């Protein structure tokens, strides 16, 4: 079986992430991302709130069959929450990913300030993904008992 080494996989993943992040500079694409991610997240939440026992039993069965598939499901739910959070932050800070270093006297200060803001947005997006996943797990456990 042909497999990529870790360096190739990391490069391809970074390319996909950069392409998606760059796509969010367009307002229409950003709103499309938000609507798709929001609808999928709402559907997941509705399934958890309406059918908590079935969701718990289904996930337990998947976990017992293959813990790798169960981890992938958890990673997808986390990623959905993270990208949804990031997209919401891009509404507030549309130019957060621009990395211009002008010939201005304060250019490096603005670049550093933008880098700090970008780092905070990514960290808060990861927190949003973790929070979405944790609240979904809590909702399944609380509602299925």
């Amino acid at each position: 079986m042909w497999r990529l080494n870790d360096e190739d996989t990391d490069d391809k993943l970074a390319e996909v992430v950069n392409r998606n992040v760059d796509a969010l500079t367009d307002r229409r694409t950003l709103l499309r991302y938000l609507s798709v991610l929001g609808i999928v997240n709402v559907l997941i939440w509705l399934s958890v709130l309406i059918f908590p026992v079935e969701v718990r039993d289904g996930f337990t069965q998947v976990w017992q069959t293959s813990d790798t598939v169960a981890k992938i499901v958890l990673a997808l739910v986390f990623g959905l929450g993270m990208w949804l959070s990031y997209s919401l932050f891009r509404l507030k800070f549309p130019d957060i990913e621009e990395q211009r270093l002008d010939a201005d006297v304060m250019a490096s200060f603005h670049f550093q300030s933008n880098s700090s803001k970008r780092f905070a947005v990514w960290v808060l997006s990861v927190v949003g993904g973790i929070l979405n996943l944790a609240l979904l797990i809590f909702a399944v456990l609380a509602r299925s008992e």
Side-chain angles (χ1 to χ4, degrees), residues 52-67 69-70 73-74 140-141 144:
V53 175
E54 290 81 3
V55 170
R56 184 198 62 204
D57 292 344
F59 187 77
T60 302
Q61 189 174 15
V62 168
W63 189 273
Q64 290 172 352
T65 304
S66 171
D67 61 339
V69 174
V73 169
L74 290 175
V140 165
L141 294 176
S144 64

Side-chain angles (χ1 to χ4, degrees), residues 9 13 31 63 71 74 81 85 101 108 117-118 133 136:
T9 305
L13 180 64
L31 293 175
W63 189 273
K71 289 175 185 175
L74 290 175
S85 299
L101 193 57
S108 68
K117 192 185 311 180
R118 184 173 41 252
L133 179 62
L136 276 168

Side-chain angles (χ1 to χ4, degrees), residues 88-141:
L88 288 170
F89 279 118
R90 285 299 293 263
L91 276 177
K92 176 72 175 160
F93 308 109
D95 60 345
I96 192 79
E97 294 294 335
E98 290 182 15
Q99 297 187 14
R100 293 182 317 234
L101 193 57
D102 300 329
D104 187 9
V105 174
M106 297 292 290
S108 68
F109 171 76
H110 292 299
F111 182 81
Q112 176 62 34
S113 148
N114 199 25
S115 295
S116 299
K117 192 185 311 180
R118 184 173 41 252
F119 179 76
V121 163
W122 277 107
V123 167
L124 290 173
S125 297
V126 169
V127 169
I130 292 170
L131 191 60
N132 187 46
L133 179 62
L135 288 173
L136 276 168
I137 292 171
F138 178 73
V140 165
L141 294 176

Side-chain angles (χ1 to χ4, degrees), residues 2 6 10 17-18 22 35 51 60 64 70 74-76 83 86 90 100 104 114 120 126 137 141:
W2 183 75
D6 289 339
D10 291 346
V17 169
N18 285 336
D22 289 342
S35 63
F51 309 110
T60 302
Q64 290 172 352
L74 290 175
L76 288 173
W83 278 105
Y86 180 76
R90 285 299 293 263
R100 293 182 317 234
D104 187 9
N114 199 25
V126 169
I137 292 171
L141 294 176

